[in-house]
């Protein structure tokens, strides 16, 4: 594989020497052919993940997603690498962005320097005897050596410039006329902890970054889930609800916020949500379910009417999967159906005693202020009440 450096004008279309360009395309054909012989990117990715898990368990533990999600990530990465090998500027840029994303996940360069050998073995193991050739081995090892250097460069620069994830809308579920649940798949691994938020940018509004809580499950898949309510048809929220479609691009900033569960299980949990504030609390419930956490958790979800319980089925199912979780919807206006009626703060006060609990709040600013005041009157210490500052 030739060095990917710019040449004086007169060479290939991107400034490369024609001989180097031809060698790149030959290497690309070798990678594509061998990938097909080895069973395709999905099968190779499964073997590669198994090898990396055995050799570098800390590397795989740092990446979001379960086994199937991580294998899918690797499969997409192999496909992308082969398809972009003949476009060095895109390849270099993509590898550097990958390095920055891996650094954000806490991966150190020393943890992936042997990936090339594992990749070559994952290819060879999928082929019939005699199919693995020396030129296949050389093509993969040399390609990885270049990619490794660019990834390391991106990792080194991760702290020097803002990190942004490109993502694609994979689901758009309009739950109410003014509300949608939108799921995104980042192109690169994006670390976040349940309870955090990220800022979203849309191509139509490049100067605006709007914060949204993340309701996805980083331990289970690489999907980001947003609960978006739009008061108008304009702005980021209006665009996400009314004009966004599956396949549309979205950009996300680094995850922020400290409304996360303590690393060491301790006190039981009280969660109180208003409207779409249920999104980060759904993420906390999902974390309890996915980890088998033994802490008890009670989630009160305050809404005006039954129609605003747009995610109750999924949240109730998540609570059922957790070891000790309960969901209590509270409807303040009209027919409450099977649920409690009145103000959510009154329902919390009537339900039990909360002074020994860690409390998590999410919702509109007025709801945060009123609920905090009510909790203080119930004897909850201020340092046990957690919520992000309103923006």
């Amino acid at each position: 594989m030739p060095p990917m450096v710019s040449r004086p004008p007169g060479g290939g279309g991107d400034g490369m020497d024609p001989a180097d360009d031809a060698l790149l395309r030959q290497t690309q054909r070798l990678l594509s052919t061998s990938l097909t012989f080895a069973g395709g990117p999905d099968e190779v990715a499964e073997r590669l993940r198994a090898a990396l898990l055995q050799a570098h368990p800390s590397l795989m533990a740092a990446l979001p997603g379960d086994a199937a999600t991580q294998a899918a990530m690797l499969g997409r990465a192999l496909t992308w690498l082969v398809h972009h090998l003949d476009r060095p500027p895109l390849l270099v840029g993509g590898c550097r962005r990958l390095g920055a994303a891996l650094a954000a996940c806490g991966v150190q360069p020393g943890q992936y320097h042997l990936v090339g050998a594992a990749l070559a073995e994952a290819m060879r193991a999928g082929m019939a005897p005699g199919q693995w050739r020396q030129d296949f081995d050389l093509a993969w090892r040399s390609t990885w050596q270049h990619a490794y250097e660019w990834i390391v460069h991106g990792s080194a620069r991760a702290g020097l410039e803002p990190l942004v994830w490109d993502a694609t809308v994979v689901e758009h579920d309009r739950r109410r006329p003014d509300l949608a649940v939108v799921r995104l798949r980042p192109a690169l691994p994006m670390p976040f902890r349940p309870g955090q938020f990220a800022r979203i940018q849309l191509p139509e509004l490049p100067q605006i970054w709007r914060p949204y809580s993340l309701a996805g499950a980083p331990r289970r898949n690489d999907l980001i889930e947003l609960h978006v309510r739009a008061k108008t048809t304009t702005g980021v929220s209006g665009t996400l609800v009314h004009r966004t479609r599956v396949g549309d691009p979205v950009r996300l900033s680094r995850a922020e916020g400290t409304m996360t569960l303590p690393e060491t299980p301790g006190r039981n949990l009280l969660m109180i949500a208003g409207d779409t504030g249920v999104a980060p609390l759904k993420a906390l419930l999902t974390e309890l379910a996915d980890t088998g956490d033994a802490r008890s958790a009670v989630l009160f979800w305050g809404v005006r009417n039954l129609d605003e319980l747009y995610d109750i089925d999924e949240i109730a199912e998540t609570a059922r999967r957790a070891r000790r979780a309960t969901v209590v919807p509270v409807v303040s206006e009209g027919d409450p159906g099977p649920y409690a009626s009145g103000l959510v703060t009154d329902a919390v006060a009537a339900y039990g005693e909360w002074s020994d609990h860690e409390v998590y709040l999410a919702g509109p600013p007025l709801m945060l202020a009123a609920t905090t005041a009510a909790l203080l009157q119930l004897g909850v210490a201020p340092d046990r009440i957690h919520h992000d500052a309103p923006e």
Side-chain angles (χ1 to χ4, degrees), residues 35-105:
L35 193 59
T36 300
F37 286 175
D42 293 340
E43 289 189 16
V44 172
E46 291 278 0
R47 293 191 294 272
L48 175 58
R49 183 192 177 277
L52 293 176
L53 184 62
Q54 182 176 7
H56 306 287
S58 60
L59 167 60
M60 304 313 297
L63 298 179
D66 58 9
T69 298
Q70 291 179 353
M73 285 184 190
L74 290 170
R76 292 196 299 269
L78 289 172
T79 301
W80 185 91
L81 176 66
V82 172
H83 286 175
H84 291 80
L85 194 72
D86 60 342
R87 288 178 278 180
L90 290 177
L91 187 63
V92 172
C95 288
R96 286 176 175 168
R97 288 192 295 275
L98 174 58
L102 290 173
C105 291

Side-chain angles (χ1 to χ4, degrees), residues 192-197 213-220 225 227 259-261 271 276-291 299 311 315 318 321:
F192 70 94
R193 292 187 62 193
Q196 289 190 303
F197 66 92
S213 294
L214 308 176
R219 291 178 184 269
R220 203 157 12 104
E225 180 179 312
H227 296 195
M259 200 178 70
T260 57
L261 296 177
M271 307 177 189
T276 56
V278 78
L281 305 186
K282 177 183 180 181
L284 296 181
L285 276 184
T286 303
E287 179 76 352
L288 294 176
D290 286 351
T291 60
L299 167 59
D311 204 36
I315 291 173
T318 300
R321 290 195 301 105

Side-chain angles (χ1 to χ4, degrees), residues 115-140:
V115 170
L119 177 56
E121 177 58 25
M123 296 290 303
R124 185 198 65 77
M127 294 188 185
Q131 277 192 319
W132 184 245
R133 306 186 326 227
Q134 185 176 5
D135 54 352
F136 289 162
D137 186 85
L138 179 61
W140 280 103

Side-chain angles (χ1 to χ4, degrees), residues 150-303:
W150 300 322
I151 292 171
V152 169
H153 185 269
S155 178
R157 292 187 58 82
L160 304 179
E161 53 195 29
L163 191 54
V164 174
W165 279 261
D166 292 313
T168 302
V169 176
V170 295
E171 292 182 42
H172 187 279
D173 187 1
R174 192 82 164 269
R175 302 281 178 91
R176 297 193 326 230
D178 65 339
L179 186 145
V181 173
V182 183
R183 292 187 176 94
L184 317 170
R185 175 174 287 120
L188 296 173
M190 179 179 170
F192 70 94
R193 292 187 62 193
Q196 289 190 303
F197 66 92
R199 300 176 191 277
I200 306 298
Q201 181 201 59
L202 303 178
E204 302 96 311
L205 302 164
Q207 304 304 318
I208 302 176
W209 289 85
R210 174 81 160 76
Y212 295 94
S213 294
L214 308 176
R219 291 178 184 269
R220 203 157 12 104
N221 56 43
D222 61 339
L223 297 183
I224 304 295
E225 180 179 312
L226 310 178
H227 296 195
V228 186
R229 182 183 181 187
K231 296 180 180 179
T232 70
T233 60
T234 60
V236 178
S237 293
T239 302
L240 283 170
V241 171
H242 297 286
R243 292 184 295 283
T244 296
R245 299 291 182 267
V246 171
D248 286 352
V250 174
R251 306 186 87 195
L252 300 99
S253 70
R254 189 188 301 268
E256 304 175 56
T258 58
M259 200 178 70
T260 57
L261 296 177
E263 295 286 353
T264 303
R267 299 183 183 91
N268 293 326
L269 308 173
L270 166 63
M271 307 177 189
I272 308 174
D275 197 43
T276 56
V278 78
L281 305 186
K282 177 183 180 181
L284 296 181
L285 276 184
T286 303
E287 179 76 352
L288 294 176
D290 286 351
T291 60
D293 197 299
R295 282 173 287 191
S296 75
V298 181
L299 167 59
F300 289 85
W301 186 9
V303 297

